Amino acid sequence: MESEAKQKQKQHPRLILHNFLSDDQCKELEFIHKSNSTVGYRPNVFSTTLSHLIATNSPHLLLPFVPIRETLKDKVEDFFDCQFDLFIEFTGLISWTRGASIGWHSDDNRPYLKQRDFTAVCYLNSYGRDFKGGLFHFKDGEPTTIEPLAGDVAIYTADSSNIHSVDEITDGERLTLTLWFSRDASHDEDAKLVSLLSQSLSHYNEPGPCLPLPASSNMYWFSPGQSSYQQLGFDICWARLHVLGFDVYYDQDTSCDLDFSDLLMKPLRLARGNELFDQEFINILHALQVVQYYCWKSSTLQTSKFQIDTCKVVELSHSQMEKINRLNHVFSKDNQLAETVLNCMTCESRQHFLDWANFVSSVSLWRDYASKLHEELVRSLPFWRTHQSIFGVQFNGA
């Protein structure tokens, strides 16, 4: 007779992979999410979808996902014995912040989700170190509880065999890469993404990286509960800069009556304390990507030979500081809300220490990073179009 453990495994099929992702893969995906995320599908949740990256002129940031998606799909097909039978239905980075939770449910529990057959949740940061709360529980079978650890993956069926819940986040930000798989070809994410990429790149001929373009402002405006823009909330792009100790400064006249969408698109400079970094960014998303890239790479950067005066860091005038304070009230209706929602348990040292010389280096390194990915994307797209599928392309001499 089969053991009770094997019977439960058949009844509640699931696979736990440890150290599936490297630390740098986790950090790269964290960089992508924290420099592009929008308001998510649930309260206190933020998301970054692949279609959103394309829509905001950052299609090259799809490349880091490609090998992960391929390998995960193989793992799911092998474990559930459905080789060559699956399509990736959704790929997204999802973070849960303080107050977010979900009760018992299956991932196909709505009529519009019935196409989902399998789920893969990749943990990109760790319980206890990066966030508190947020434990993952299965209602039946083993393991009953998963303590998220960066690099680990939980794979399971999306039906009622694997009903699960997530405890409320009490501190920090819990980050995952989540994929759903379907046997229904009409829900193939790849074909839709290839179409969007073809449209996006057909009118882009400039050398170098695509510079990001923010989406509509309501996608970045976080409001607790159902409160309106005028009552409470904050802009996510501004808030992610703010919790790291940065403010935004516009040289142009920026009245508080200015349309918020226009403000997100305007060129700006970054300030920190009483210092102003004298380099212009094309828009707030551009500035955020560079800052988050610096956070990702700061521990590996060599101290630059630049002198502080070469870094073009100048002291803010009294009028400039007043202008920044006025702008902060435009970007946030509650001064404490951003810190409460986006509190990062591991970013305190980043907030209080900044090497301006290394930050200058990061501006050019970010550009090199984006340019390399963009070049690879342009070379891969013809193959993706032919196969209507996104996969790693091996180039001669690469």
Side-chain angles (χ1 to χ4, degrees):
M1 292 180 62
E2 285 185 317
S3 67
E4 184 178 349
K6 285 187 176 181
Q7 287 180 339
K8 284 185 176 181
Q9 188 178 37
K10 285 186 175 180
Q11 294 172 347
H12 311 286
R14 63 190 64 142
L15 173 66
I16 310 301
L17 301 174
H18 298 290
N19 301 310
F20 175 78
L21 296 178
S22 69
D23 182 64
D24 204 52
Q25 283 178 309
C26 292
K27 293 297 184 184
E28 184 171 24
L29 294 178
E30 179 183 11
F31 149 72
I32 292 172
H33 179 65
K34 290 189 174 181
S35 56
N36 295 277
S37 61
T38 65
V39 173
Y41 59 100
R42 298 180 61 81
N44 298 340
V45 170
F46 301 95
S47 68
T48 304
T49 65
L50 301 191
S51 58
H52 175 73
L53 292 175
I54 298 171
T56 53
N57 216 40
S58 296
H60 53 281
L61 293 179
L62 269 69
L63 268 297
F65 293 86
V66 174
I68 299 171
R69 293 168 89 245
E70 286 186 291
T71 307
L72 273 175
K73 184 168 176 284
D74 289 342
K75 292 287 186 183
V76 173
E77 288 180 332
D78 288 345
F79 185 75
F80 292 104
D81 195 22
C82 52
Q83 285 83 356
F84 313 110
D85 194 29
L86 289 187
F87 303 90
I88 299 175
E89 187 250 5
F90 173 87
T91 307
L93 297 168
I94 302 172
S95 66
W96 295 40
T97 62
R98 186 178 298 184
S101 67
I102 189 168
W104 296 115
H105 71 287
S106 64
D107 287 344
D108 69 347
N109 66 344
R110 296 287 186 272
Y112 57 87
L113 301 178
K114 288 300 180 183
Q115 73 278 0
R116 293 180 173 174
D117 292 302
F118 305 102
T119 304
V121 178
C122 309
Y123 296 106
L124 303 181
N125 58 5
S126 299
Y127 170 80
R129 183 191 69 187
D130 303 299
F131 60 90
K132 295 178 182 177
L135 292 176
F136 183 103
H137 304 285
F138 285 111
K139 192 170 186 179
D140 302 290
E142 296 292 338
T144 56
T145 296
I146 295 177
E147 188 175 290
L149 183 66
D152 288 359
V153 179
I155 297 172
Y156 50 91
T157 58
D159 61 12
S160 58
S161 298
N162 280 298
I163 293 175
H164 56 279
S165 66
V166 177
D167 291 345
E168 181 176 334
I169 309 298
T170 58
D171 199 8
E173 185 171 10
R174 176 187 188 268
L175 178 58
T176 64
L177 167 64
T178 301
L179 290 88
W180 281 288
F181 301 87
S182 176
R183 292 187 174 92
D184 187 344
S186 67
H187 290 277
D188 180 14
E189 181 182 49
D190 283 21
K192 300 169 187 175
L193 293 174
V194 169
S195 175
L196 291 172
L197 285 167
S198 299
Q199 297 170 36
S200 173
L201 296 181
S202 64
H203 53 76
Y204 189 88
N205 299 310
E206 297 178 16
C210 305
L211 290 173
L213 296 173
S216 61
S217 58
N218 62 344
M219 293 186 71
Y220 300 109
W221 190 262
F222 172 89
S223 295
Q226 300 298 316
S227 59
S228 67
Y229 168 82
Q230 289 78 16
Q231 293 173 323
L232 286 175
F234 56 80
D235 173 73
I236 300 171
C237 300
W238 170 87
R240 290 205 180 274
L241 291 168
H242 180 71
V243 296
L244 292 171
F246 289 91
D247 291 307
V248 298
Y249 178 81
Y250 295 87
D251 289 309
Q252 300 176 13
D253 180 38
T254 49
S255 166
C256 292
D257 296 327
L258 187 70
D259 182 83
F260 195 69
S261 296
D262 290 340
L263 193 60
L264 294 180
M265 299 291 291
K266 283 186 173 294
L268 59 92
R269 289 188 285 167
L270 288 173
R272 190 178 177 89
N274 65 345
E275 295 177 322
L276 180 66
F277 181 48
D278 195 18
Q279 177 168 328
E280 192 171 73
F281 296 92
I282 193 69
N283 55 50
I284 197 169
L285 208 55
H286 178 207
L288 180 58
Q289 286 194 10
V290 171
V291 168
Q292 292 293 344
Y293 183 87
Y294 171 79
C295 290
W296 171 27
K297 294 294 187 180
S298 59
S299 63
T300 60
L301 289 172
Q302 297 295 321
T303 301
S304 174
K305 295 180 181 179
F306 288 108
Q307 298 297 318
I308 292 298
D309 57 347
T310 310
C311 296
K312 298 182 179 178
V313 177
V314 298
E315 189 173 347
L316 285 165
S317 68
H318 180 70
S319 61
Q320 287 174 324
M321 294 189 75
E322 285 187 336
K323 189 175 186 180
I324 287 172
N325 288 332
R326 291 196 300 272
L327 284 165
N328 286 345
H329 289 297
V330 175
F331 282 107
S332 177
K333 302 300 180 183
D334 184 330
N335 291 335
Q336 299 301 316
L337 189 61
E339 288 92 338
T340 300
V341 174
L342 292 178
N343 169 49
C344 174
M345 293 172 60
T346 58
C347 72
E348 185 175 351
S349 60
R350 295 175 184 170
Q351 182 172 353
H352 295 293
F353 175 77
L354 173 71
D355 185 318
W356 279 117
N358 280 345
F359 186 75
V360 171
S361 299
S362 294
V363 177
S364 58
L365 289 173
W366 167 85
R367 183 176 179 85
D368 292 342
Y369 164 84
S371 296
K372 182 179 179 181
L373 289 182
H374 184 259
E375 180 182 345
E376 184 179 348
L377 175 63
V378 171
R379 295 172 71 190
S380 299
L381 186 56
F383 297 90
W384 295 353
R385 282 200 195 104
T386 299
H387 297 277
Q388 287 296 289
S389 177
I390 292 176
F391 56 94
V393 181
Q394 296 297 318
F395 300 104
N396 291 333

